[in-house]
Amino acid sequence: MFLQKYCFVLANISTFCPPPLSSSSKDQAEMDPADMEDVEEVEEEETGEDENSKARQLTVQMMQNPQILAALQERLDGLNGSPSGYMESLPKVVKRRVNALKNLQVKCAHIEAKFYEEVHELERKYAALYQPLFDKRSDIVKAAYEPTDEECEWKADEEEELTDEMKEKAKLEEEKKDEEKEDPKGIPEFWLTVFKNVDLLSDMLQEHDEPILKHLQDIKVKFSDPGQPMSFTLEFHFEPNDFFTNTVLTKTYKMRSEPDENDPFSFDGPEIMSCTGCTIEWTKGKNVTLKTIKKKQKHKGRGTVRTVTKTVPNDSFFNFFTPPEVPENGELDEDSEAILAADFEIGHFIRERIVPRAVLYFTGEAIEDDDDDYDEEGEEADDEEGEEEADEENDPDYDPKKDAAPPAECKQQ
C-alpha cells in the first residue's frame, strides 16, 4: 500500500520538478538542427533497459533533494484515497448517508433472495414438463421402449454433404455390422459412460465401482414441495443386481436462500447448507466401500507373531451416499469441510448439467463445449511460447548453453 502511494505521489511531484540538465542535454542544445536529426535516430535505438536505468537515476536524484522529500511526506500524510483511510476521513454527516446506503443494500439482498425463491418455484414447474421426456429417455436406455424410425432420424454434421448413393451405402454397411453382432438391449452402460466422460465424476470412480454402475438405469432430480424449505434430491435408480437390494439410492441437498444476518453483503444466491445420503443394503461380501486388510502383530514379551484382520474404509463412488454430518454448531474439521465442498459441487453439477444433458455427455459433445474456452486459452499460451522461442533463435547474443539444465550433482538438497 505504501508503495502504491509513493508511486502516485512521485508521479505528481515529477510533473513540477523537471530533471536536472545533464551534460548530454547541454550538448544537444548547442547542436545545429541538421545535427539533431542524427541524435534523434540514435535515441530511438536505445533499449528499454537504458530508459529504465535513466528513470532509476532520476528517482535517486529526486530523493536526495530535501525539498522533494518534504513535499513527498506532506502528500503521504494527507493522502486518504485508500480503502483503509478514506471512510475515516469522511465528515460525520457523510458517514451517516453511507450507512443509509448500506441499509438499502441489505434490503436489496432480501429482495434478491425472494427472486431466487421464485426461480426455485419456476424450476419446480418446468421440472414437471421435462420429466415425461426424461422418463422416455430412461425407457429407451433400459430397453423398455424402442423408438420409431422417425424418432431415430438425426442429421449429423458430417452427413450434410453426403450424396444419396453414399448414404445408402453407409446404411447397408451399418445394417451388415448389426447383423454380425448380438442385438444389444437399450443403450448399454449409458450412465457409466456418462460418468467416465466427465472428469469431475470419473475421479470418484474406482475399478470395483464400474460393475455396479452398469446397473444404473436413471438419475432423477426431485425438488422440495411448495411451502417447504428449499432443497432437491438426486435419485439413482438401479435395476436388480447382486451388489445391494436397494432399487433407489438418494442424496438430498438442503439449501438456504436468505442473507446471513452477520454478513448480508456476502449473499450471492442460494447456497447448499447440508446434505444427507441413504443407507445402502449391501449384499454380504459385496460392500465396495469397505476392504479387509491383514496386519501382523508381534508380542513385546514373548516375541510371538499373530495376524489380525481389520475392516477399513475403501475408496469408492458409493461413499457419495454417506457424506460427513454437519453438527448443529456448523463447525467442521478441515478434511470434512473439503469433502463437503467437493460433494456440494458434484451434487450441483449432476443436477444442473448431467441430468438435463445426459445424452450430450454420453456422446462427448457437451464436454467439447465445456472445454472450448480452455482450448482457446491454451492455444494463446502456446502461441506466446512459440513467439518467445522464435525470438531467442533470432537473437544473435542468445546462448543455448545458458538455458541448459544443471547437471545431476547440482540439485538442491
Side-chain angles (χ1 to χ4, degrees):
M1 185 62 66
F2 174 81
L3 183 59
Q4 292 175 345
K5 291 181 179 179
Y6 161 73
C7 294
F8 170 78
V9 174
L10 192 58
N12 283 274
I13 291 174
S14 63
T15 60
F16 59 81
C17 293
L21 193 62
S22 64
S23 59
S24 61
S25 300
K26 293 178 182 178
D27 294 339
Q28 289 180 9
E30 297 173 358
M31 289 182 182
D32 294 333
D35 296 332
M36 286 297 294
E37 294 180 1
D38 296 334
V39 173
E40 288 174 357
E41 291 178 2
V42 173
E43 287 179 346
E44 289 176 357
E45 293 175 0
E46 289 181 348
T47 63
E49 184 178 352
D50 293 335
E51 293 175 356
N52 292 335
S53 177
K54 288 184 177 182
R56 286 194 293 269
Q57 292 175 3
L58 173 60
T59 302
V60 171
Q61 292 174 4
M62 293 175 67
M63 295 306 294
Q64 290 174 347
N65 189 321
Q67 294 179 346
I68 294 179
L69 284 174
L72 175 61
Q73 186 61 48
E74 183 180 354
R75 291 296 297 273
L76 287 175
D77 291 341
L79 191 62
N80 290 317
S82 65
S84 60
Y86 182 69
M87 283 299 298
E88 288 76 4
S89 70
L90 292 176
K92 186 175 180 180
V93 65
V94 176
K95 290 182 181 178
R96 290 180 67 256
R97 295 167 189 152
V98 172
N99 290 337
L101 296 185
K102 287 185 176 181
N103 287 325
L104 292 176
Q105 189 63 44
V106 172
K107 291 180 180 179
C108 287
H110 284 283
I111 292 175
E112 187 180 5
K114 293 294 182 183
F115 165 79
Y116 284 113
E117 287 177 7
E118 293 194 20
V119 169
H120 188 69
E121 294 296 325
L122 278 174
E123 284 184 312
R124 183 187 296 109
K125 173 185 174 181
Y126 279 89
L129 300 177
Y130 288 130
Q131 197 54 53
L133 302 178
F134 294 157
D135 289 342
K136 194 167 189 178
R137 177 181 71 187
S138 176
D139 288 342
I140 293 173
V141 168
K142 62 186 182 184
Y145 172 77
E146 184 62 34
T148 65
D149 291 342
E150 183 180 356
E151 290 174 322
C152 293
E153 285 184 7
W154 181 262
K155 187 177 183 181
D157 293 339
E158 61 271 15
E159 294 179 0
E160 290 180 357
E161 299 181 1
L162 294 179
T163 63
D164 292 339
E165 183 179 352
M166 293 175 67
K167 289 180 182 178
E168 186 64 27
K169 184 178 179 181
K171 184 178 179 181
L172 292 173
E173 289 179 357
E174 288 181 4
E175 290 176 354
K176 185 178 179 181
K177 290 180 181 178
D178 289 341
E179 290 175 359
E180 294 173 355
K181 297 180 181 178
E182 295 182 6
D183 184 21
K185 302 298 181 183
I187 303 179
E189 303 180 13
F190 178 82
W191 289 102
L192 173 59
T193 304
V194 170
F195 278 37
K196 292 172 75 172
N197 281 347
V198 179
D199 289 342
L200 186 64
L201 302 178
S202 64
D203 290 344
M204 303 168 61
L205 296 185
Q206 306 297 322
E207 187 175 350
H208 48 253
D209 294 324
E210 295 187 14
I212 309 175
L213 289 172
K214 289 180 180 180
H215 298 284
L216 179 59
Q217 294 183 316
D218 198 13
I219 303 177
K220 296 181 179 180
V221 180
K222 300 290 186 181
F223 292 95
S224 54
D225 294 330
Q228 296 296 317
M230 189 181 295
S231 68
F232 68 92
T233 300
L234 301 176
E235 296 182 351
F236 294 74
H237 293 253
F238 288 83
E239 65 182 352
N241 59 80
D242 298 332
F243 299 93
F244 45 71
T245 59
N246 312 62
T247 57
V248 181
L249 302 181
T250 61
K251 185 74 171 286
T252 300
Y253 292 88
K254 295 180 180 179
M255 299 184 293
R256 182 181 68 181
S257 181
E258 58 184 19
D260 187 342
E261 293 182 1
N262 298 323
D263 187 17
F265 301 133
S266 66
F267 180 73
D268 191 27
E271 57 180 334
I272 296 174
M273 300 304 297
S274 64
C275 59
T276 54
C278 65
T279 301
I280 302 178
E281 303 295 339
W282 293 100
T283 303
K284 187 176 180 179
K286 298 290 187 178
N287 188 348
V288 295
T289 65
L290 298 174
K291 63 181 178 180
T292 301
I293 61 172
K294 294 182 178 181
K295 297 183 70 175
K296 292 184 178 181
Q297 295 180 342
K298 186 176 181 180
H299 194 279
K300 293 181 180 180
R302 295 191 297 269
T304 56
V305 178
R306 66 173 182 174
T307 301
V308 178
T309 301
K310 287 187 176 182
T311 301
V312 296
N314 191 27
D315 290 337
S316 169
F317 165 77
F318 291 91
N319 290 323
F320 179 70
F321 298 98
T322 54
E325 293 184 5
V326 179
E328 294 183 0
N329 59 12
E331 295 182 1
L332 291 167
D333 57 60
E334 291 184 3
D335 290 343
S336 297
E337 283 186 359
I339 293 172
L340 279 179
D343 190 298
F344 294 169
E345 181 183 1
I346 292 165
H348 183 75
F349 189 81
I350 292 174
R351 166 197 163 182
E352 291 288 330
R353 306 298 294 275
I354 297 298
V355 172
R357 309 176 70 198
V359 65
L360 300 181
Y361 284 99
F362 176 81
T363 62
E365 294 168 86
I367 302 166
E368 294 173 2
D369 292 342
D370 291 344
D371 290 343
D372 278 347
D373 293 338
Y374 296 99
D375 289 339
E376 291 174 3
E377 186 174 331
E379 289 169 5
E380 290 177 4
D382 292 341
D383 291 343
E384 291 175 1
E385 186 178 348
E387 290 175 3
E388 290 177 1
E389 291 177 356
D391 291 342
E392 291 175 349
E393 292 174 359
N394 296 329
D395 186 357
D397 297 329
Y398 173 64
D399 185 1
K401 295 180 180 179
K402 293 181 179 179
D403 292 340
E409 60 269 22
C410 293
K411 293 182 179 179
Q412 291 183 343
Q413 299 297 321

